[in-house]
Amino acid sequence: MLGPIAQNLVFGIMVGGLYGLAAVGLSLVFGVTKFLNVAHGELLMLGGYAGFWIFTLWGVDPFLSLPLVVVCLVLIGLVLYKLLFARMVKLTEENKIKNTLLVGFGLSLVFQNMALRLWSADDRGITTAYSGQALTLFGVRFPVVRLASLAIAVVTLLLLDLFLHRTYTGKAIRATVQDWEAATLMGIDIHRVYLLSFVVGAAVAGIAGALVSVGYSIEPAMGLEWTLIALIVMVLGGLGSIVGTFVGGLVLGVTQSLTSYWIGGTYREIVALLIFLVVLVFRPQGLFGSKEG
Amino acid sequence: MLTVEEIDAGYKDLQALWGISLAVNEGEIVALVGPNGAGKTTTLRVISGLLKPSAGCVLLRGRSLAKEPAHRIVELGISQVPEGGRIFTGLTVLENLELGAFGSNARKVKDQSLQWVFGIFSRLEERQRQRAGTLSGGERQMLAIGRALMSKPGLLLLDEPSFGLAPLLVEQIFQMITEINRQGVTILLVEQNVRAALELTQRAYVIENGRIVGQGSGEALLSFESVRSAYLGSS
Amino acid sequence: MTGKRIITLVLIIAVLALLAALPAVVSRDSIINMAVLVLLYVALASSWNILGGYTGQTNLGHAAFFGLGGLTTRLLWLSAGWSLFPSLLAGAGAATTLALIIGTPAFKLKGVYFAIGTLALGQVLNVTVGDMFPMITSLPVQQLVSYQLLPRYYLFVGLAVLTVGTAYVLVNSRLGLGMMAVREEEEAAESLGVSAFRHKLLALVVSAFLAGLTGGAFAFYHVGYYPQFLFSPVWTFDALMMAYIGGTGTIIGPIIGALFFVVAKELLALRLVEIHLTVFGTLFILVVLFLPGGFVQAWASIRRALVRQLGARGVRLASRRQAS
């Protein structure tokens, strides 16, 4: 009886790490710039396809190709920011959120449709030589690939946390989250901070997407679900704390996993959405939630 | 050192400043006094580049700041302590101070600046590891001023440093401002606490409804009849 | 002003006459089907516009109302053996009930949170329906044999007229004024005694009722589909894009948007493979960034420029005549 529960717990934690990673990118961008980029899930999708094609065409191991995926997403992030999002920096906060939401929305359509035309609607996944391997501990299976993905997610988040707390640029980003005008008075060029956050957010989404393509599967229409997951985790974890976001991801992953064990697979998404709606209604300021301070 | 010439400025359709001119010489403490909503803060925002004027210009040592974005103006030597301090409450005291030295030149001498600021505000040294949000009102103001000093400014703009502080603390803060000025930092001070401001400064400008309506030495303005009746509550 | 009114009236009558006469003029089913599509989108985009455009509440879960209307109508009409109009009304009633249930919690959410909340809500229904009704729903054989396009076409004509008419009457009433006040400045509206919540709820209910009716009409029209299809976020996104491209917060905007959407989609599909969503997505982004009022605004500024030009020329002509 306990065995399957423990197994589902482990699977939940593994997928939860990726949820955390997906949410951290969105949360960083939203916290700094107040851009609500609902095409975040599509960035994840692009990262997934980048990893998939690098593996399929050149046979590069998906974990080794991560830096290449990051480069791709950095470029995409740069172009999107310069072409579209930079135009919305000067709007009032409310209009900024609304317009970026709408633009993100259009972008998600464009990316989804392009991916569908270029790469077909098929589910894709990376199968390496070691994909089937798993460690077994007390009767609980730990698939190697997902274990490695979780480790990479944790390392990425730790590095990001170090960057935000230990470097001058990171501190400038945190200061901008709190009060962009006061940050300007420190001599911080907030446009550069915005650009940097946006690009880092895209890169982290790319890593998450590539990991999804290794441990799970990707398809052109996956974006909306992942955007919603990232939003849910962002609300659960509160803004401004990477550890909080990561824990929020784990909570969601475990909840989903246990739900599908007890109630049935199709309800995993519904449970997540219901949690989200409840949190949203009872904490309407949710997304701005626990700012630092 | 600083010359403000015939500035018009405002927000959207609302013009807040009408032909403001003032000058601050090297080493001075100059006050800008006036009632609430007269345009004092707006004037500081124009000088520090947060708000671009619709007419007129700001010159720093003869150089126009018209095309400089706000973050560059800090590097050119003007540092502003905004109203209410606006410290980064989620960051530590030390991190706040480090951010004050964000510009590349200031960053090179960060450690010396830190010693200098700790010399003036010893309380900040004791609390450097704390989160700034845990500081008391007076300490927050000290941190805001200390943070602004970290950029090694030639000119310090202070917006209502006495706001919301107990009288004893106000006196302390004003003593520290005098000390900072004695160490070579030119100061432009915006205050509602007119008496204290005028006692502190060599010269002052009086601003009303977005226009400069009077200027003179602090002492002269103290005896200036309309200033007395309007702001000092004595007839 | 009255001259302008007469022109508008004549135009409306002409459009209605054209719609009524269309089947007599063209006999090809493909054209009628395209017209049905335009009318469907006119109704869907106009119903979205009541809440999204006029009241300023970006509803990203509109498909839920459309889908619920369609699901209910189809079930009652096909499985329970109800006749068409009661089924349609019941479908619209189901959508309205959903609106009333979610209204109170949903409008606790302001601005963008409302948008995200409705997006999530739409997905909840989408996934649930996909799970509960996994089988394709097809018209039974006797229905297929007697399937007639024309009644369905006229149903959609009536639906589009009803939707646009309701929107017109609503936004030109005191209630509509209140809705727009809420959109512009919620707090200011409240301080004038306009209850933001009541006006939003009214807009949501009317919008949901009409969307439910549209879904029902679609269920009557379409031969076979998966029930989940009606709940797909695509319906929301299409309605939103059409309203924006045409011009939100105007009566004519969603109509122009729908017409443009369907016609351009057909033309694009002829020339290029299915990339129309890429094109529309791009166009939508451009409209949001550079032309927040959509085609309606573009037309207004073009006309203003033309009038100014013509006016200037008129003055020049007049002065030249005087000089000579």
Side-chain angles (χ1 to χ4, degrees):
Chain A
M1 197 57 221
L2 230 59
I5 294 179
Q7 184 66 68
N8 275 291
L9 212 63
V10 166
F11 281 155
I13 289 172
M14 283 169 169
V15 74
L18 297 187
Y19 288 175
L21 201 57
V24 159
L26 185 73
S27 161
L28 176 73
V29 173
F30 185 68
V32 176
T33 61
K34 297 290 176 287
F35 291 166
L36 191 61
N37 178 18
V38 287
H40 191 74
E42 271 70 24
L43 294 178
L44 220 95
M45 182 261 293
L46 292 176
Y49 276 102
F52 174 78
W53 286 115
I54 292 170
F55 174 77
T56 309
L57 296 178
W58 301 323
V60 182
D61 182 276
F63 292 107
L64 295 180
S65 71
L66 281 176
L68 222 60
V69 173
V70 166
V71 170
C72 290
L73 266 293
V74 162
L75 289 177
I76 293 172
L78 266 174
V79 171
L80 289 183
Y81 185 88
K82 288 281 182 193
L83 216 58
L84 304 174
F85 287 88
R87 294 175 202 283
M88 295 180 278
V89 167
K90 292 220 167 107
L91 298 173
T92 61
E93 186 169 314
E94 198 189 328
N95 282 333
K96 194 150 65 173
I97 298 178
K98 186 166 176 176
N99 279 19
T100 49
L101 176 105
L102 291 172
V103 166
F105 202 56
L107 272 180
S108 69
L109 273 182
V110 170
F111 283 141
Q112 214 185 98
N113 195 234
M114 275 172 26
L116 196 66
R117 291 305 131 215
L118 289 174
W119 305 316
S120 86
D122 298 345
D123 271 359
R124 314 261 197 173
I126 294 176
T127 314
T128 59
Y130 49 86
S131 281
Q133 293 175 20
L135 307 174
T136 307
L137 214 66
F138 305 114
V140 177
R141 275 169 47 86
F142 293 83
V144 172
V145 170
R146 293 189 190 182
L147 207 57
S149 295
L150 180 65
I152 287 174
V154 171
V155 168
T156 308
L157 294 176
L158 283 178
L159 284 176
L160 199 59
D161 198 58
L162 276 178
F163 167 68
L164 287 177
H165 283 91
R166 294 292 156 82
T167 68
Y168 237 107
T169 313
K171 288 170 193 171
I173 289 178
R174 285 161 60 220
T176 309
V177 170
Q178 282 222 317
D179 187 338
W180 64 268
E181 208 169 72
T184 307
L185 289 175
M186 302 301 103
I188 295 167
D189 181 356
I190 60 159
H191 294 277
R192 285 180 59 187
V193 169
Y194 281 10
L195 173 66
L196 184 70
S197 313
F198 193 83
V199 165
V200 169
V204 174
I207 295 175
L211 295 179
V212 171
S213 78
V214 188
Y216 308 86
S217 68
I218 55 170
E219 42 122 5
M222 68 190 273
L224 179 62
E225 191 188 338
W226 279 90
T227 297
L228 280 169
I229 285 173
L231 280 169
I232 295 166
V233 172
M234 187 165 129
V235 171
L236 285 179
L239 198 70
S241 152
I242 286 189
V243 178
T245 309
F246 183 67
V247 172
L250 295 185
V251 168
L252 182 67
V254 168
T255 314
Q256 280 197 344
S257 187
L258 291 181
T259 317
S260 57
Y261 172 64
W262 277 315
I263 309 178
T266 41
Y267 286 93
R268 50 187 297 136
E269 206 181 333
I270 299 176
V271 164
L273 290 164
L274 287 179
I275 296 176
F276 178 57
L277 285 172
V278 169
V279 173
L280 210 54
V281 170
F282 287 100
R283 256 181 74 195
Q285 81 289 12
L287 301 188
F288 294 106
S290 59
K291 263 191 180 176
E292 292 186 68
Chain B
M1 176 176 204
L2 177 82
T3 320
V4 174
E5 281 175 4
E6 298 283 330
I7 291 287
D8 288 350
Y11 306 92
K12 281 195 180 155
D13 302 331
L14 205 73
Q15 188 166 346
L17 300 182
W18 307 78
I20 294 279
S21 294
L22 54 86
V24 182
N25 300 316
E26 195 94 44
E28 274 188 311
I29 300 189
V30 174
L32 184 61
V33 298
N36 232 338
K40 302 184 297 271
T41 297
T42 309
T43 307
L44 290 195
R45 287 171 64 86
V46 169
I47 296 171
S48 60
L50 287 176
L51 182 69
K52 288 296 172 193
S54 51
C57 64
V58 180
L59 303 169
L60 179 68
R61 300 194 177 91
R63 170 180 180 178
S64 169
L65 300 182
K67 292 216 170 64
E68 303 291 349
H71 65 92
R72 277 278 303 150
I73 290 176
V74 183
E75 293 205 44
L76 295 174
I78 301 182
S79 191
Q80 184 186 347
V81 180
E83 199 174 353
R86 309 226 336 227
I87 54 170
F88 303 115
T89 49
L91 278 62
T92 66
V93 170
L94 187 62
E95 284 175 331
N96 267 275
L97 293 172
E98 284 174 339
L99 282 169
F102 190 80
S104 51
N105 290 330
R107 213 181 293 186
K108 279 177 210 143
V109 292
K110 186 183 79 181
D111 294 332
Q112 288 151 269
S113 309
L114 208 55
Q115 288 319 308
W116 177 47
V117 169
F118 284 156
I120 302 169
F121 303 108
S122 51
R123 289 283 276 284
L124 296 181
E125 185 165 18
E126 295 160 24
R127 317 220 154 193
Q128 54 177 303
R129 300 276 161 213
Q130 286 184 17
R131 280 213 323 177
T134 63
L135 296 183
S136 71
E139 289 165 344
R140 283 174 185 231
Q141 195 58 47
M142 291 178 201
L143 177 58
I145 298 173
R147 190 180 64 175
L149 289 178
M150 290 295 292
S151 67
K152 303 260 7 173
L155 173 67
L156 185 65
L157 310 176
L158 290 165
D159 197 347
E160 304 270 359
S162 74
F163 184 77
L165 297 183
L168 209 66
L169 272 171
V170 173
E171 204 170 302
Q172 247 182 42
I173 293 275
F174 276 27
Q175 271 171 15
M176 288 164 177
I177 293 172
T178 318
E179 174 62 23
I180 291 163
N181 176 249
R182 222 179 41 78
Q183 298 192 15
V185 181
T186 308
I187 290 173
L188 176 60
L189 171 73
V190 155
E191 259 298 346
Q192 286 217 62
N193 190 339
V194 176
R195 186 190 294 274
L198 292 185
E199 278 168 3
L200 188 76
T201 58
Q202 287 105 352
R203 289 192 308 119
Y205 292 87
V206 182
I207 183 170
E208 259 174 37
N209 295 323
R211 292 180 172 84
I212 298 285
V213 294
Q215 58 173 299
S217 73
E219 283 161 38
L221 283 178
L222 268 179
S223 54
F224 193 60
E225 197 49 45
S226 72
V227 171
R228 287 182 69 93
S229 57
Y231 311 123
L232 302 179
S234 58
S235 54
Chain C
M1 269 298 113
T2 42
K4 210 173 160 187
R5 271 214 175 149
I6 290 169
I7 294 175
T8 313
L9 208 65
V10 168
L11 266 177
I12 290 173
I13 292 170
V15 169
L16 288 179
L18 189 72
L19 284 173
L22 186 73
V25 181
V26 290
S27 50
R28 275 183 28 220
D29 276 3
S30 63
I31 300 282
I32 302 293
N33 276 318
M34 212 170 122
V36 166
L37 217 52
V38 173
L39 294 165
L40 165 76
Y41 280 133
V42 166
L44 195 63
S46 295
S47 65
W48 183 87
N49 192 37
I50 293 173
L51 182 64
Y54 281 104
T55 323
Q57 307 301 307
T58 308
N59 174 5
L60 294 186
H62 203 52
F65 304 117
F66 177 79
L68 201 59
L71 185 72
T72 313
T73 303
R74 188 94 165 183
L75 279 177
L76 292 176
W77 176 57
L78 279 190
S79 312
W82 289 30
S83 52
L84 177 65
F85 281 97
S87 311
L88 281 174
L89 273 181
T96 310
T97 312
L98 177 68
L100 285 170
I101 293 170
I102 64 155
T104 307
F107 288 126
K108 273 193 176 171
L109 307 175
K110 305 272 186 256
V112 72
Y113 304 109
F114 177 79
I116 300 169
T118 46
L119 181 65
L121 184 82
Q123 276 305 92
V124 171
L125 266 93
N126 185 16
V127 177
T128 313
V129 169
D131 188 42
M132 285 173 60
F133 303 94
M135 304 298 284
I136 198 161
T137 155
S138 300
L139 293 183
V141 181
Q142 65 268 37
Q143 291 278 2
L144 277 177
V145 173
S146 63
Y147 187 93
Q148 282 182 314
L149 188 53
L150 278 195
R152 290 172 165 83
Y153 168 75
Y154 283 114
L155 176 67
F156 273 101
V157 172
L159 178 69
V161 171
L162 175 73
T163 308
V164 174
T166 308
Y168 180 81
V169 171
L170 184 63
V171 302
N172 283 296
S173 68
R174 267 180 63 91
L175 290 167
L177 214 60
M179 282 158 46
M180 285 180 263
V182 170
R183 172 186 68 194
E184 293 310 318
E185 192 88 51
E186 197 168 323
E187 278 168 33
E190 291 267 1
S191 72
L192 292 173
V194 176
S195 160
F197 173 72
R198 278 193 202 168
H199 284 82
K200 287 184 196 171
L201 189 65
L202 174 79
L204 174 68
V205 164
V206 175
S207 169
F209 179 86
L210 294 169
L213 215 51
T214 311
F218 185 82
F220 172 61
Y221 163 74
H222 211 283
V223 175
Y225 55 85
Y226 289 96
Q228 188 182 18
F229 172 59
L230 297 194
F231 291 82
S232 158
V234 168
W235 296 105
T236 306
F237 299 173
D238 284 351
L240 175 120
M241 277 200 296
M242 282 179 261
Y244 262 90
I245 289 174
T248 54
T250 62
I251 291 292
I252 192 80
I255 301 175
I256 296 174
L259 196 62
F260 173 80
F261 192 84
V262 175
V263 172
K265 186 173 161 180
E266 284 296 313
L267 291 179
L268 282 174
L270 286 180
R271 283 162 203 286
L272 312 150
V273 268
E274 294 268 309
I275 61 148
H276 64 273
L277 278 179
T278 308
V279 175
F280 287 125
T282 311
L283 191 66
F284 172 69
I285 293 171
L286 292 178
V287 165
V288 170
L289 283 180
F290 302 111
L291 199 69
F295 284 170
V296 171
Q297 185 201 2
W299 168 240
S301 37
I302 289 170
R303 205 176 55 176
R304 221 174 301 129
L306 275 178
V307 167
R308 209 176 302 133
Q309 277 253 315
L310 290 176
R313 196 175 298 165
V315 169
R316 238 177 293 142
L317 276 177
S319 58
R320 209 176 296 159
R321 219 171 282 149
Q322 269 184 348
S324 61

